[in-house]
Amino acid sequence: MTLWNWGGISLKQYKVAFVSLGCAKNLVNTEQMMALCREAGYEITGEPAGADVAVLNTCGFIESAKSEAIDNILELARLKDEGKLKKLLVAGCLTQRYREEIKEELPEVDGMLGTGSYTDVVSAVEELMAGEHPEHFGDIHRTYEDGERIVTTAPYTAFLKIAEGCSNGCAFCIIPKLRGRYRSRTMESLLHEAEELAERGVKELIVIAQDITRYGLDLGDGNSLSKLLKELCKLPFRWIRLHYLYPEAVTDELIETIASERKILHYLDIPIQHCNDAILSAMRRRTTKAELIALFDKLRAAMPDVVIRTSLICGLPGETDEAFEELCDFLREQKLQRAGVFQYSREEGTLAAKMEDQVDDDVARRRVELVVDLQSRVMDEWNESRLGETVEVLCEGFDTQEGCYVGRTWADSPEIDGRVLFTAGGVIPAGEFVYVRLTGVSDGDLTGEIEE
């Protein structure tokens, strides 16, 4: 094997595979680990078969995420048994949450990195290949969030993570215990990273954090999300998309900035979780139903074309039939165009797990189905109202299965929202913006034809 020198240490050129699970914020951490391994001289791959080490970056937020992570661990363990993989290093929220359980119940795991130790990935790989069983669990409140990344998204789209952790303390959520308190990155570091992304040809910048609305408040230097966005708008991005804005922290200044800056998309991801005041209080959310309605009215007055995406939880302890019906009525009235609907997951270590009046799983599951059906009708109605419009579409390539080009409008975030299926007379490269006349609806997607 080739020898490299990194930081004064002689390292072998190992082949390291990366698998990333969970949210976009987790993907950014994976991309940072990949860059560190590349700097160390390792060969980076996305295919675990044939690798020296597979690094699995996990999510451990709710039960479904935990199950997915364990399934991936067992699949990678199978490659080890077949001699196609030498070592398995597991990182992220699952290890941070279940360090001892993994050691006892998943001997297939050779080493672990907690959420405070992503930057230790090179040391961990070296220790693994020396026959050791590394366990790196640094301070989750003091992680290093700057540095290089290997961007793995399409070349025209990239995430910019502006903060780590969360200090909101929602009753159903374990994230603060896994990711630490809220920590904003400096404006300087963010603008430097954004400039590099723009130079690489990124056209759609997706600003992310567990809560982007509180950006800068912990720094005490006068910076805010509004000020950051104004600086980002000076860079040559076409679209700037925002995930996630907490309703109680959306200020008039922020609304004015979003409404006035043409690069910021009028697509706002605002997780409300519920509308019933008793449930919101039990969740330890900081808004009431009346305040949510007032915020949505204010957003629509400032931006008549605004598309609001939200997250909803059905089945929190204490959610009565009446509270659930109130949520359904609220959704029928507000007609939010985008929604992710989740069944409450009883997670140990959270306040909600200890609450009385736990809702039966079958009841909660049925409520999710009802809200999904309701929201599907809202989305279909909105899509049908757009037919005949000509909209700007970011082309994402030719889909051989569909037999046409696919892309997204400003109202569609990658992976979670709908697509536009369109025909064109010539070749349209992925990453090019085109104008498409919408002519139909197909299973939640829009169809159309390019307008020259």
Side-chain angles (χ1 to χ4, degrees):
M1 293 184 179
T2 305
L3 290 178
W4 295 76
N5 187 276
W6 179 76
I9 305 172
S10 181
L11 301 173
K12 293 181 179 178
Q13 188 188 18
Y14 298 121
K15 187 175 184 180
V16 183
F18 284 86
V19 178
S20 191
L21 306 178
C23 64
K25 300 181 292 294
N26 216 37
L27 176 63
V28 171
N29 290 130
T30 302
E31 293 174 341
Q32 291 167 331
M33 289 193 289
M34 292 172 68
L36 288 169
C37 286
R38 179 179 63 183
E39 185 181 354
Y42 301 158
E43 179 184 349
I44 308 302
T45 179
E47 177 50 61
D52 293 301
V53 178
V55 181
L56 175 65
N57 195 13
T58 61
C59 177
F61 176 40
I62 56 177
E63 191 60 40
S64 58
K66 289 182 283 187
S67 297
E68 181 186 24
I70 292 170
D71 288 345
N72 274 266
I73 289 172
L74 297 177
E75 179 63 21
L76 293 169
R78 183 182 62 78
L79 291 179
K80 284 176 58 182
D81 290 341
E82 295 172 356
K84 298 177 181 178
L85 174 67
K86 294 178 182 176
K87 300 289 182 179
L88 172 56
L89 177 65
V90 179
C93 290
L94 189 77
T95 57
Q96 187 67 41
R97 191 172 182 184
Y98 297 110
R99 178 179 181 178
E100 295 304 320
E101 290 86 344
I102 290 173
K103 287 169 64 175
E104 293 176 8
E105 301 174 21
L106 291 169
E108 300 89 347
V109 175
D110 300 302
M112 292 185 282
L113 296 177
T115 58
S117 296
Y118 287 117
T119 51
D120 291 345
V121 62
V122 172
S123 298
V125 168
E126 287 293 304
E127 292 162 16
L128 281 174
M129 298 308 293
E132 302 172 25
H133 293 273
E135 294 181 23
H136 293 245
F137 287 85
D139 187 346
I140 63 173
H141 303 290
R142 296 184 179 276
T143 54
Y144 180 69
E145 299 301 328
D146 298 337
E148 296 296 318
R149 292 161 51 196
I150 295 179
V151 178
T152 57
T153 46
Y156 46 82
T157 296
F159 297 102
L160 180 69
K161 186 165 78 167
I162 66 173
E164 179 57 280
C166 185
S167 299
N168 289 329
C170 297
F172 54 83
C173 184
I174 196 68
I175 285 177
K177 293 185 178 181
L178 303 181
R179 291 283 183 170
R181 63 176 176 270
Y182 192 87
R183 311 177 302 284
S184 301
R185 295 175 59 192
T186 66
M187 180 86 78
E188 181 184 9
S189 68
L190 290 170
L191 293 179
H192 176 71
E193 182 174 341
E195 288 168 0
E196 289 189 339
L197 292 171
E199 289 172 0
R200 294 178 191 173
V202 169
K203 299 177 181 179
E204 178 186 33
L205 186 73
I206 306 176
V207 178
I208 59 167
Q210 193 63 32
D211 175 3
I212 65 172
T213 31
R214 287 181 169 80
Y215 172 75
L217 300 183
D218 57 311
L219 297 177
D221 59 3
N223 283 319
S224 64
L225 178 61
S226 181
K227 291 181 179 179
L228 173 62
L229 292 177
K230 288 178 181 178
E231 293 301 314
L232 292 174
C233 286
K234 296 176 183 178
L235 299 175
F237 300 112
R238 181 75 161 261
W239 287 353
I240 296 177
R241 191 180 297 278
L242 308 180
H243 289 275
Y244 307 89
L245 301 109
Y246 275 53
E248 69 275 14
V250 177
T251 63
D252 289 346
E253 179 191 18
L254 180 58
I255 294 173
E256 194 280 330
T257 297
I258 295 170
S260 62
E261 293 284 355
R262 64 178 182 82
K263 292 183 180 181
I264 303 176
L265 302 179
H266 293 175
Y267 170 105
L268 305 180
D269 194 324
I270 305 175
I272 64 170
Q273 309 304 351
H274 215 281
C275 75
N276 174 267
D277 285 346
I279 296 297
L280 289 170
S281 177
M283 287 179 166
R284 296 186 66 180
R285 304 290 287 184
R286 296 179 176 87
T287 48
T288 63
K289 178 182 178 181
E291 289 168 338
L292 292 173
I293 292 172
L295 173 61
F296 293 155
D297 287 347
K298 187 180 291 187
L299 291 171
R300 287 164 176 152
M303 297 167 278
D305 63 341
V306 69
V307 166
I308 298 173
R309 180 176 181 83
T310 196
S311 299
L312 303 166
I313 294 176
C314 296
L316 190 92
E319 185 188 53
T320 61
D321 290 341
E322 292 77 13
F324 175 70
E325 189 55 43
E326 183 180 352
L327 174 63
C328 292
D329 289 341
F330 177 86
L331 296 173
R332 292 186 190 101
E333 294 164 3
Q334 289 298 315
K335 296 187 182 299
L336 306 179
Q337 299 96 328
R338 303 282 187 258
V341 188
F342 302 92
Q343 181 178 339
Y344 166 70
S345 180
R346 189 176 187 177
E347 298 298 325
E348 66 271 21
T350 64
L351 292 173
K354 302 175 183 178
M355 291 178 180
E356 298 179 354
D357 300 323
Q358 296 283 330
V359 175
D360 181 81
D361 282 348
D362 289 339
V363 172
R365 189 177 303 111
R366 177 58 180 159
R367 288 176 179 174
V368 169
E369 293 171 353
L370 290 171
V371 172
V372 168
D373 183 61
L374 187 161
Q375 280 300 125
S376 294
R377 292 197 298 273
V378 169
M379 185 179 70
D380 287 344
E381 289 173 8
W382 186 65
N383 278 343
E384 288 168 4
S385 74
R386 303 168 74 193
L387 299 184
E389 293 181 12
T390 296
V391 296
E392 186 179 50
V393 171
L394 174 57
C395 179
E396 297 194 297
F398 190 85
D399 188 318
T400 54
Q401 188 171 10
E402 297 286 353
C404 62
Y405 287 96
V406 297
R408 292 181 287 111
T409 72
W410 61 271
D412 304 299
S413 200
E415 306 295 332
I416 59 175
D417 294 319
R419 306 176 300 167
V420 178
L421 312 177
F422 65 95
T423 57
V427 176
I428 311 297
E432 184 169 321
F433 286 89
V434 295
Y435 287 91
V436 174
R437 186 169 62 86
L438 302 177
T439 58
V441 178
S442 174
D443 294 327
D445 293 328
L446 289 159
T447 60
E449 52 193 30
I450 195 169
E451 288 208 345
E452 302 298 338

